[in-house]
Amino acid sequence: MTHPPNAPAAPAARSTAQAPARPAGVPAQPSPAPGAAPPAGQSAWAVGRERLRVATTTEPGRLQILGAVLALLVVAFGAVTAFQVGDRTTAADDVVSRSQPLSADAAAIYRSLADADTTAAGGFLAGTLEPAESRARYDRDIATAARLLVKAAASTDGSGESAREIATLNEQLPRYTGLIERARAANRQGLPLGGAYLRYANQQMTSILLPAAERLYEAETVRLHEDDESARTWPFLALGLGLLTLAVLFWAQRRTYARTNRVFNHGLLAATAATLTVLLWLLAAHTVARSGLDNARTHGQESLQALNTARIGSLTARANELLTLVARGAVLTEDGKSDKYEAEYTSSTDTLTDALATARERADDDAGRVPVDEAASRTAEWKQRHKDARGKDDAGDFEGALGRIVGPEDSTGQSFDQVDAALDRALAHEQTEFTRAAGDARDALTALPLGALALGILGAAGAVLGINRRLSEYR
């Protein structure tokens, strides 16, 4: 069977669409391949850097970078302000609610212990049967000291000087009270051994307990000064960042005006207003806080220190005055020339007088000066009565001297109680003044951290919206 020969292969199909003719004089352009990869040998970092360079050479790219920088600066200013002011608010709150109350409690511990020792000596001198009022006062002082020690232990750190002093006080206080009970038991039986126990108890008090209480007071006072300094330190980082942010915002608005001839950009204006508000608020609040802390230190803290020194002097003087009669010259000074307790009484009354003069100078109103003046007047009366009592004792009139020391009227005991009552009123007044001034300082800073954060976020949003407004003009 024969077949017709195969037809020759058809020529390749030509495209029905003809390429448009190229105008004369235009050279042929190679068509770029879609999705072409970066040139060989060029890294992704180099490509990114090139794109950033291209972006910074166009106005939309510059505006995007400027918006990001402005938003970051405003938010950073708000956050740094919130952090630094929050730290100072915490320190101011510690001054009001922790360190100063602990300092006051430490002073109260000292006073309670010294008064208990004084009361025990006075009850011993009253005779074989201690007065019920004296016993109740002693028990109240010991209970107060124990309660404040528990409070101090719960409020201080588990380590440090304060903790060591509290441990010493907790350990030695039961030993002291045990010695006092032995002295009382011997005294009720009319045994001379009671006086020896009382002097030994006083030695424990003056050489161990009271020095530990004084060191506790000093440690808490140091912490009070540290908290006070932390609260009053200027937040220089926040202030500097705020000024930098304002400068950049003003520059950005000037730049916008120079390029568009528009006076205001509402978004940038809002960001500037928020930043300026935070900066002025920071300056005003910290100025008020420092002023309050200055008042608390000058008219409260320093007055309290002087009054506490005066009270310690009065308590020490009273204890030594009583022990002068208990010892009857059995304890001499190191040079063996004079009575030890009488010499310490003189030193303590000198401390009392000097501290009252200092407290008088630091009192800033009549409510503070009047009780200090009364304490000074009663102290002078006390010294004169003590001089009369010593004259009777030196003349061999022990009963007459005893009546001038512990008697119900015209005695040094009455003068001591009047001095103590006047100091108590002065301390209460200065404590109120301190708490009010320090509380005002803390309150001036309380709302600023949250306000700074909120205004920082609003300011950043305003900056972004203001820049986006300019970017929309290029679309």
Side-chain angles (χ1 to χ4, degrees), residues 37-375:
Q42 192 171 12
S43 65
W45 170 255
V47 173
R49 185 172 56 188
E50 178 64 19
R51 289 177 179 173
L52 179 61
R53 186 190 67 79
V54 172
T56 56
T57 58
T58 63
E59 182 61 13
R62 294 193 189 99
L63 287 173
Q64 289 176 341
I65 295 173
L66 179 59
V69 170
L70 289 175
L72 180 62
L73 278 175
V74 176
V75 169
F77 172 50
V80 170
T81 299
F83 174 77
Q84 289 201 302
V85 174
D87 183 64
R88 283 148 183 79
T89 303
T90 300
D93 185 65
D94 286 342
V95 168
V96 177
S97 60
R98 191 193 65 170
S99 52
Q100 201 283 326
L102 279 175
S103 178
D105 286 346
I109 289 171
Y110 189 103
R111 179 207 174 274
S112 297
L113 293 174
D115 191 65
D117 192 53
T118 300
T119 303
F124 186 90
L125 286 173
T128 56
L129 186 60
E130 183 179 6
E133 181 182 354
S134 176
R135 180 61 185 256
R137 180 171 176 172
Y138 169 85
D139 291 340
R140 187 167 56 250
D141 286 333
I142 294 298
T144 299
R147 176 178 56 81
L148 292 177
L149 282 172
V150 172
K151 181 181 176 183
S155 302
T156 55
D157 298 332
S159 59
E161 184 178 353
S162 294
R164 291 193 297 271
E165 304 305 339
I166 291 171
T168 299
L169 290 167
N170 282 324
E171 179 183 353
Q172 296 296 327
L173 184 57
R175 298 180 181 178
Y176 169 80
T177 56
L179 290 171
I180 291 295
E181 293 307 319
R182 291 186 181 183
R184 283 172 172 165
N187 190 45
R188 282 194 297 267
Q189 299 175 39
L191 300 176
L193 190 60
Y197 275 121
L198 184 66
R199 291 195 301 272
Y200 186 57
N202 173 261
Q203 183 181 355
Q204 292 291 103
M205 176 64 74
T206 56
S207 62
I208 299 177
L209 284 164
L210 290 181
E214 187 173 4
R215 290 192 298 269
L216 175 63
Y217 171 72
E218 291 172 353
E220 295 303 330
T221 301
V222 167
R223 183 159 69 168
L224 171 60
H225 284 300
E226 291 174 351
D227 289 338
D228 180 74
E229 288 298 327
S230 297
R232 70 174 59 245
T233 303
W234 280 101
F236 290 111
L237 180 59
L239 291 172
L241 189 57
L243 292 174
L244 174 63
T245 303
L246 277 180
V248 175
L249 282 167
F250 281 127
W251 173 82
Q253 291 176 87
R254 182 178 178 82
R255 181 181 185 276
T256 300
Y257 172 73
R259 291 175 180 269
T260 65
N261 206 31
R262 293 172 183 167
V263 178
F264 295 118
N265 179 294
H266 292 163
L268 293 180
L269 190 63
T272 303
T275 302
L276 185 60
T277 299
V278 174
L279 186 60
L280 293 177
W281 190 359
L282 175 61
L283 285 169
H286 205 75
T287 300
V288 172
R290 285 178 63 89
S291 176
L293 290 170
D294 286 340
N295 287 333
R297 172 184 285 184
T298 303
H299 304 304
Q301 182 179 335
E302 293 180 355
S303 294
L304 286 170
Q305 289 178 347
L307 290 170
N308 281 323
T309 300
R311 201 166 203 180
I312 289 171
S314 69
L315 290 164
T316 306
R318 180 58 178 170
N320 286 312
E321 181 180 53
L322 294 171
L323 288 168
T324 300
L325 292 181
V326 173
R328 305 290 301 276
V331 183
L332 302 177
T333 55
E334 292 183 358
D335 58 11
K337 295 180 179 180
S338 57
D339 186 281
K340 175 179 180 292
Y341 297 118
E342 179 64 21
E344 291 182 354
Y345 163 83
T346 302
S347 175
S348 298
T349 52
D350 289 342
T351 299
L352 168 61
T353 302
D354 293 343
L356 286 174
T358 302
R360 179 66 168 76
E361 293 175 358
R362 293 175 178 172
D364 62 330
D365 55 13
D366 289 339
R369 285 188 287 267
V370 168
V372 174
D373 289 341
E374 182 181 349

